Amino acid sequence: MGETSGLLSTIEDKLYRVQYHHANESHIQVDQRICDHCRIERICLYICPAKVYEQDVESGRIRVNFENCLECGTCWIACTEGAIDWRNPQGGFGVRFRHG
């Protein structure tokens, strides 16, 4: 890990401290029809700190890696087109932060 003077130095270092207990089904759905007409250049690809969203090179469609989700809701707010349906994961699943 790239620690500097005891401090975590990169977002990747910080994300390493997150534990996930993910469900079998995604708590995030993307309406690809709306995505196809996005006027903000698919902000979901850039706004998510955990890189949940990826664009498939061949099809151009958005892939959702829900297992990485930090549950911050930033994507849902940033997607002004309404293509992202984000909900809290079902009970007992989701992100858990480690301390120390």
Side-chain angles (χ1 to χ4, degrees):
M1 293 279 114
E3 293 197 25
T4 306
S5 304
L7 298 175
L8 295 173
S9 59
T10 67
I11 189 72
E12 288 80 13
D13 290 335
K14 292 175 184 177
L15 289 174
Y16 174 74
R17 304 182 80 56
V18 178
Q19 292 180 340
Y20 301 92
H21 181 63
H22 47 81
N24 293 328
E25 294 183 27
S26 178
H27 62 285
I28 304 168
Q29 302 298 321
V30 174
D31 187 329
Q32 297 290 343
R33 293 172 299 160
I34 295 173
C35 254
D36 289 343
H37 304 288
C38 183
R39 292 179 295 206
I40 308 180
E41 311 252 349
R42 296 189 170 179
I43 195 166
C44 61
L45 297 173
Y46 309 101
I47 198 78
C48 179
K51 298 180 175 54
V52 169
Y53 302 92
E54 292 180 304
Q55 186 169 4
D56 184 274
V57 177
E58 292 180 20
S59 70
R61 299 184 76 124
I62 298 296
R63 274 194 304 234
V64 179
N65 302 309
F66 74 95
E67 302 89 353
N68 297 344
C69 184
L70 298 172
E71 300 172 30
C72 65
T74 302
C75 60
W76 182 68
I77 294 167
C79 180
T80 58
E81 303 299 315
I84 297 175
D85 181 16
W86 186 96
R87 300 175 189 269
N88 287 315
Q90 65 189 66
F93 294 97
V95 69
R96 184 173 62 193
F97 297 94
R98 293 187 292 190
H99 302 285

